[in-house]
Amino acid sequence: MLKVIFACVHNAGRSQMAAAFFNQLADRTKAEAVSAGTEPGLRVHPEVLAVMQEIGIDLSAATPQKLTQELANDAALLITMGCGDKCPYVPGLRRDDWPLSDPKGRPMDEVRAVRDDIKVRVAELIQAEGLEKEAA
């Protein structure tokens, strides 16, 4: 089982959306995603909850969590999301950085654009890693 960690600073926006898309689109017998942050917020940003709800993904139960060594121990890939110097480094993990704008406090059209960009990137990652769901 391949474990992917999506990480941003507060784990309240970009990384939550990415993990949700990954877990929706990937074959769950091959891979799973978790999200975490270096300085977790108290809750997922309301504008993120709203734009994800628009497309049928409910993040209301999602809770920001800290990226710890324990969480990263069995992961294979770390995707950081535009957190610059605050991005975590976890020894032994493949890492990629997606330079994405923080959706916090942005107009809804901008939050939707970030959401849609994340979905495309996640779908490309799943295809590149061979983690697509089998055709039914």
Side-chain angles (χ1 to χ4, degrees), residues 60-104:
S60 62
T63 306
Q65 66 177 333
K66 185 161 183 66
L67 178 58
T68 63
Q69 186 61 50
E70 293 75 27
L71 185 65
N73 276 342
D74 58 346
L77 179 61
L78 172 66
I79 305 287
T80 54
M81 308 190 135
C83 43
D85 292 341
K86 293 184 178 184
C87 280
Y89 170 73
V90 180
L93 285 186
R94 277 191 303 144
R95 180 176 164 203
D96 194 7
D97 184 65
W98 295 351
L100 297 162
S101 299
D102 187 349
K104 181 181 181 185

